[in-house]
Amino acid sequence: MKGKFKNILWGIFAIALVVVIVVWFALSPNIDHIEDTNGPTDHSLQQITKQDVINQKLGTKGTVSQSELHFDFGSVSVSDGVKYSSDKFTGVYRLHTATIFKGSDIHVFLGDFKINGGNFAFYVIFDGEIVGQVEPTDVGFPEFILENVDKTATLEYVIAGESASFEFVVPIDFES
């Protein structure tokens, strides 16, 4: 009797899981890749708007891979940050969310930032407004600094891409 009851519960669980997956895919926004129409050297977004970035309801196509970087010192392994990359990504994707307290500083520093194709942007959103954009540079490291914020609010790091191929490293001090 116990085994039969257990099998019934597993069956109900399996059916519920299938229903959740079907509903998830049915309700998820499905977008197509947005082609790069402004040439291989201009990486500015053409169709994704700042309002799309703030609302984050556009959805995504393609994948953003994330891997933790480590330095090994003998028997000790130290995390150095996270590498984000994609070969073809379209849409809006939130990388990080945190609460920042009044009087704090926001410092976003990216290493090895490269846009290899398509259109791409890395936005810093504070209290529902875009306060900055981090862009690759030929010299130095790309960064964004906002000192002594005037209120406690939510901080988000959001990327947007149109058939974008990119990579960058977020150092361990990513969290403000």
Side-chain angles (χ1 to χ4, degrees):
M1 186 71 172
K2 258 186 168 181
K4 188 175 184 180
F5 181 69
K6 201 180 217 184
N7 288 340
I8 292 171
L9 285 178
W10 276 110
I12 291 171
F13 174 75
I15 291 170
L17 184 61
V18 168
V19 168
V20 167
I21 290 171
V22 167
V23 168
W24 176 271
F25 282 109
L27 296 178
S28 295
N30 189 10
I31 64 170
D32 291 324
H33 281 292
I34 301 170
E35 292 306 316
D36 181 4
T37 58
N38 55 344
T41 58
D42 183 352
H43 301 295
S44 59
L45 297 173
Q46 297 299 296
Q47 294 185 33
I48 297 175
T49 66
K50 289 185 178 182
Q51 199 60 44
D52 292 332
V53 171
I54 291 169
N55 294 337
Q56 297 177 32
K57 294 182 181 176
L58 185 63
T60 62
K61 185 164 186 122
T63 60
V64 176
S65 64
Q66 175 181 341
S67 58
E68 193 165 337
L69 302 176
H70 291 278
F71 282 116
D72 294 320
F73 300 104
S75 62
V76 178
S77 180
V78 178
S79 177
D80 188 47
V82 177
K83 179 179 181 177
Y84 292 92
S85 63
S86 183
D87 290 329
K88 192 168 185 179
F89 168 79
T90 294
V92 176
Y93 183 77
R94 181 185 313 122
L95 294 177
H96 180 72
T97 302
T99 299
I100 301 298
F101 295 99
K102 182 178 179 178
S104 298
D105 297 337
I106 299 169
H107 182 206
V108 183
F109 165 78
L110 303 178
D112 296 328
F113 192 177
K114 297 176 193 124
I115 302 173
N116 303 314
N119 303 322
F120 182 81
F122 182 108
Y123 291 103
V124 179
I125 300 174
F126 184 66
D127 194 28
E129 292 182 35
I130 294 174
V131 294
Q133 183 174 343
V134 182
E135 298 181 22
T137 61
D138 292 333
V139 293
F141 296 100
E143 66 181 344
F144 169 80
I145 299 172
L146 181 62
E147 296 179 333
N148 196 21
V149 297
D150 60 355
K151 57 186 162 188
T152 297
T154 301
L155 171 72
E156 298 173 289
Y157 302 140
V158 177
I159 60 172
E162 299 168 347
S163 295
S165 171
F166 63 88
E167 61 186 69
F168 57 89
V169 174
V170 178
I172 199 70
D173 64 352
F174 184 56
E175 298 190 28
S176 301

